[in-house]
Amino acid sequence: MKVHCDIRFTNSTHGSYLSGQLLTGEVQIKLTEPKRFNEITLRIIGYTSVEWSEKRGQGKRRRTVFYSARRDHLSSQKVLFRPQQNGNPADLPAGEHIYQFACELPSSLPTSFEGTYGHCRYTAQVVLDRPWKFNLTHKVGFTVVQPRDLNLQSPSIRIPSRMEDARVFCCGIWRTQPLFVRLTVPCTGYVPGQAIPLTIDLDNRSTRLIEGVNMKLQQEVIYRAESPSPKFRRQVHTVVKHIGDGVEGESTRQYVQRLVVPTVVPTCGDQNLISVAYRLHLTVRVEGCGSDPVLEIPLIIGTTPLIPEQPATVAIPPPTVAADGASAEAGGFNFGNVPEQLPSASGVMRQSTLPPEYLPPPTYEEAMNAAAVVITDDTDTHAIGSTKPYVPLYPSYNFNDIQWPPLPPDARLPQLPLPPKQ
C-alpha cells in the first residue's frame, strides 16, 4: 500500500469520552511516493439508527414491513489538506504528514450503544479525494458516555426500597396457607463494579415446596421506530443471575445475597431512539400448579457512585459561667438531650460529599457480552489502514482496595416480621 492512514485520539487512551468533553487527536498519513489529491478532510459524526422488520398479513396478503428511524447528533468537518487557489489538485510529498484536530462534544450527546435492532455510533473518518480516482477512506469509532452522577439524581434513590407479595395456592376446593415474600435493597442507584446487597425474606406457611429463588439483574432495551409509523420493540437481557436454594413447606428462610454489577451501558436514552433501563427481578419457583411470585425493583446504573451523606454535626456552645462561678451545665443539662433552642445556622456543619480522591478511578472496559462490530459501510469500498472491530467502552469501578462506607443507620428499613395478609 502506497498510502497509509491512521487516526489517534491524543487525550484518551482508548477513545472514550464523556459528552461535553473536548476530543483531540491527530491524523497520520504516510506516503511512499508523492500523491495528488483534490482535498483531504476529516469528518466526525454521531447518529442513532434503528431498523427491524416484521411480517404482516396471512396467505397471499402476507408482506414484510420495515420499521426504521435515524437521528443525527454530531457533524463536524475539517479540511486537513487544501487544494491550490485555482482549485486544481495539489501534490502531497512523500513521507509522514501529521494533522492535529479537536472537536467540542456537545453535552447533550447520548451514550454509545450497539444492539440487535439499532445503534448509537460515533466515528471519525478521513477522506482522501483523488482526481479521476475513487476516494480513499479510513474510519475509526470512539465511545461517548452521557454522564449520570447518582448524587445529582432524585434523592429517592438513596431511600431503601422494599417489595412484598403474598400468595395463596389452590387445588380444587382446597386453599393453602399464604406464602409471604419480601425483597429489600438499601438504595436503588449503583455503578458497574459495585455490589447490590439483596435481602430476601420468605415466610412459607403453606405446605408447598419452594424449589428455588431466582435473583436477576435485568437490562431492558427499547428501540423506537418512526417510519412508516411510530412503533417500538423491547428486548430484555439477564445481566447477572443467582439461584438460591429451596425452602421446605411451613418454614422460613432469609437470603442475603450480593449481585455485582458488571460493565454495562449506564441507564440512558429517555429522549433518544434507544433507551436502556435496569431492574432487579425476583422469581420464587413454587412446586405444583399456580403462579410463581414475581417481584421487581427498578434501578439506575450511573457513572459516578453514590457518596453517603454524612450526618449533620451540631456545634454545641461552651458552657456559660454564672455570676457565682458555677457552670450552667450544673443546672440539670443532660448530655444527649435536644436543647430547647437550636444554635444558629452558622453553628451547623454538614458534609454532603467526600473528597474526590476517596473514589477509585474508573476504567473503561468492554460491556458484558458485547460483540465487536464492523463500522465500515457501503461508502467505504476503498478503505485503507488497519480497520479494527469496534466495541463501545463504558466506565467501571474497582472497589476491592477500598472500604466503601455503608449507608447511614437511619436510612435502613427496619427488619419487621412479614405481616399476615388476607
Side-chain angles (χ1 to χ4, degrees), residues 128-173:
L128 297 92
D129 187 354
R130 302 184 297 174
W132 307 106
K133 294 182 179 180
F134 291 105
N135 295 339
L136 300 178
T137 62
H138 178 67
K139 181 187 294 185
V140 297
F142 62 94
T143 304
V144 174
V145 176
Q146 175 69 237
R148 185 177 285 270
D149 189 344
L150 297 178
N151 301 280
L152 303 179
Q153 303 298 308
S154 171
S156 61
I157 68 173
R158 295 182 177 270
I159 301 175
S161 182
R162 171 187 295 168
M163 292 293 294
E164 296 180 351
D165 189 11
R167 198 62 58 94
V168 174
F169 305 97
C170 302
C171 185
I173 62 174

Side-chain angles (χ1 to χ4, degrees), residues 169 176-179 203-208 248-251:
F169 305 97
T176 67
Q177 291 295 317
L179 164 64
D203 185 359
N204 187 12
R205 302 180 186 179
S206 72
T207 56
R208 293 287 186 91
E248 297 289 339
E250 298 180 345
S251 59

Side-chain angles (χ1 to χ4, degrees), residues 21 108 119 139 147 224 242 259 298 304 319 333 338 380 401 410 417:
Q21 286 187 331
S108 60
H119 55 259
K139 181 187 294 185
R224 298 177 177 86
H242 179 78
L259 298 180
T304 302
F333 176 78
V338 179
D380 305 317
D401 299 331
D410 58 350

Side-chain angles (χ1 to χ4, degrees), residues 12 14-19 21 110-113 142-150 190-194 260-268 278 300-305 359-368 390-399:
S12 176
H14 303 289
S16 299
Y17 296 90
L18 298 177
S19 56
Q21 286 187 331
T111 300
S112 300
F113 180 79
F142 62 94
T143 304
V144 174
V145 176
Q146 175 69 237
R148 185 177 285 270
D149 189 344
L150 297 178
Y190 300 89
V191 295
Q194 191 174 9
V260 178
V261 181
T263 302
V264 291
V265 56
T267 302
C268 62
Y278 295 89
I300 295 179
I301 305 300
T303 58
T304 302
L359 296 174
T363 59
Y364 285 84
E365 304 172 3
E366 296 181 4
M368 178 182 178
Y390 166 72
V391 180
L393 303 177
Y394 304 113
S396 179
Y397 290 82
N398 181 10
F399 295 106

Side-chain angles (χ1 to χ4, degrees), residues 97-357:
H97 305 271
I98 302 295
Y99 302 95
Q100 308 289 335
F101 67 90
C103 178
E104 187 76 30
L105 301 177
S107 59
S108 60
L109 292 181
T111 300
S112 300
F113 180 79
E114 297 288 336
T116 306
Y117 303 108
H119 55 259
C120 179
R121 187 178 297 169
Y122 299 88
T123 60
Q125 183 183 40
V126 175
V127 179
L128 297 92
D129 187 354
R130 302 184 297 174
W132 307 106
K133 294 182 179 180
F134 291 105
N135 295 339
L136 300 178
T137 62
H138 178 67
K139 181 187 294 185
V140 297
F142 62 94
T143 304
V144 174
V145 176
Q146 175 69 237
R148 185 177 285 270
D149 189 344
L150 297 178
N151 301 280
L152 303 179
Q153 303 298 308
S154 171
S156 61
I157 68 173
R158 295 182 177 270
I159 301 175
S161 182
R162 171 187 295 168
M163 292 293 294
E164 296 180 351
D165 189 11
R167 198 62 58 94
V168 174
F169 305 97
C170 302
C171 185
I173 62 174
W174 301 101
R175 298 183 62 185
T176 67
Q177 291 295 317
L179 164 64
F180 298 107
V181 184
R182 176 198 291 155
L183 170 64
T184 307
V185 291
C187 64
T188 55
Y190 300 89
V191 295
Q194 191 174 9
I196 306 174
L198 310 179
T199 302
I200 302 171
D201 295 291
L202 297 177
D203 185 359
N204 187 12
R205 302 180 186 179
S206 72
T207 56
R208 293 287 186 91
L209 169 68
I210 297 178
E211 299 176 341
V213 179
N214 295 350
M215 298 162 259
K216 301 178 183 179
L217 174 62
Q218 292 184 336
Q219 178 193 71
E220 182 183 64
V221 184
I222 297 179
Y223 304 88
R224 298 177 177 86
E226 298 175 344
S227 176
S229 61
K231 192 175 181 62
F232 70 91
R233 187 156 189 170
R234 177 183 287 108
Q235 274 191 320
V236 177
H237 308 281
T238 298
V239 176
V240 62
K241 178 180 180 180
H242 179 78
I243 301 178
D245 298 332
V247 180
E248 297 289 339
E250 298 180 345
S251 59
T252 61
R253 178 74 179 271
Q254 183 181 75
Y255 297 89
V256 179
Q257 183 63 38
R258 298 177 51 183
L259 298 180
V260 178
V261 181
T263 302
V264 291
V265 56
T267 302
C268 62
D270 298 337
Q271 305 297 327
N272 196 22
L273 298 177
I274 302 175
S275 62
V276 182
Y278 295 89
R279 60 174 176 256
L280 281 176
H281 182 93
L282 174 68
T283 303
V284 180
R285 296 187 287 108
V286 183
E287 182 185 40
C289 58
S291 58
D292 296 335
V294 176
L295 291 83
E296 292 184 343
I297 296 180
L299 298 180
I300 295 179
I301 305 300
T303 58
T304 302
L306 278 175
I307 301 177
E309 291 185 351
Q310 303 301 306
T313 57
V314 179
I316 301 178
T320 58
V321 179
D324 56 0
S327 172
E329 191 174 357
F333 176 78
N334 295 323
F335 181 79
N337 288 354
V338 179
E340 295 182 1
Q341 184 176 2
L342 291 175
S344 62
S346 61
V348 179
M349 301 171 57
R350 178 182 293 274
Q351 183 181 0
S352 60
T353 58
L354 297 176
E357 58 270 14

Side-chain angles (χ1 to χ4, degrees), residues 36-47:
R36 178 161 294 188
F37 299 100
N38 291 326
E39 194 176 63
I40 300 178
T41 59
L42 172 70
R43 302 171 184 173
I44 300 177
I45 64 173
Y47 66 95

